[in-house]
Amino acid sequence: QVQLVESGGGSVQAGGSLRLSCSASSDIASRSCLGWFRQAPGKEREGVAAMSAGGEFTYYADSVKGRFTISRDNAKNTVYLQMSSLKPEDAATYYCAARAGGVWSCGGLSRSLYVYWGQGTQVTVSS
């Protein structure tokens, strides 16, 4: 089992930045793909970004390319999401997710690929 705990959410004005963090309870996460998803009220949960275990491959949703950056520190079992140039449409609950233990690659941002989920952290963007 891997437990994921997100932090760093908050309220920001459009154009601002936030950095989300997600800490994993197990070093299994350091050998697994980690990703970020988000869900706005009334909408489906969607993939935002993901990174393979060794950091070789990254995946981004088209809507965040050039604005969001995913990174990870395997020594700390932590993945980050740096969000810049935030827009009101970025407002959502952001979830950290991990593929099954030892699954190095991500294979994309399909929700069904990820088996471990955090509780989420809220991001509000005002115009």
Side-chain angles (χ1 to χ4, degrees), residues 1-7 20-36 53 71-80 96-98:
Q1 280 285 353
V2 177
Q3 294 181 330
L4 304 170
V5 179
E6 303 95 337
S7 61
L20 305 183
S21 299
C22 171
S23 295
S25 63
S26 168
D27 61 3
I28 291 177
S30 69
R31 303 190 296 275
S32 304
C33 163
L34 298 172
W36 289 94
S71 61
R72 60 191 292 163
D73 185 339
N74 286 342
K76 297 180 179 179
N77 295 330
T78 300
V79 62
Y80 306 95
C96 178

Side-chain angles (χ1 to χ4, degrees), residues 44-119:
E44 294 288 320
R45 190 172 298 188
E46 63 175 355
V48 175
M51 177 174 273
S52 59
E56 306 92 337
F57 301 104
T58 56
Y59 304 80
Y60 292 97
D62 288 342
S63 58
V64 306
K65 282 181 181 177
R67 300 188 298 121
F68 291 11
T69 302
I70 188 171
S71 61
R72 60 191 292 163
D73 185 339
N74 286 342
K76 297 180 179 179
N77 295 330
T78 300
V79 62
Y80 306 95
L81 186 67
Q82 178 68 47
M83 305 186 295
S84 302
S85 302
L86 282 161
K87 305 175 180 179
E89 51 263 43
D90 293 318
T93 300
Y94 282 72
Y95 298 89
C96 178
R99 292 204 62 178
V103 177
W104 190 273
S105 64
C106 293
L109 293 171
S110 175
R111 180 179 173 180
S112 62
L113 295 173
Y114 298 77
V115 298
Y116 300 111
W117 294 87
Q119 293 300 307

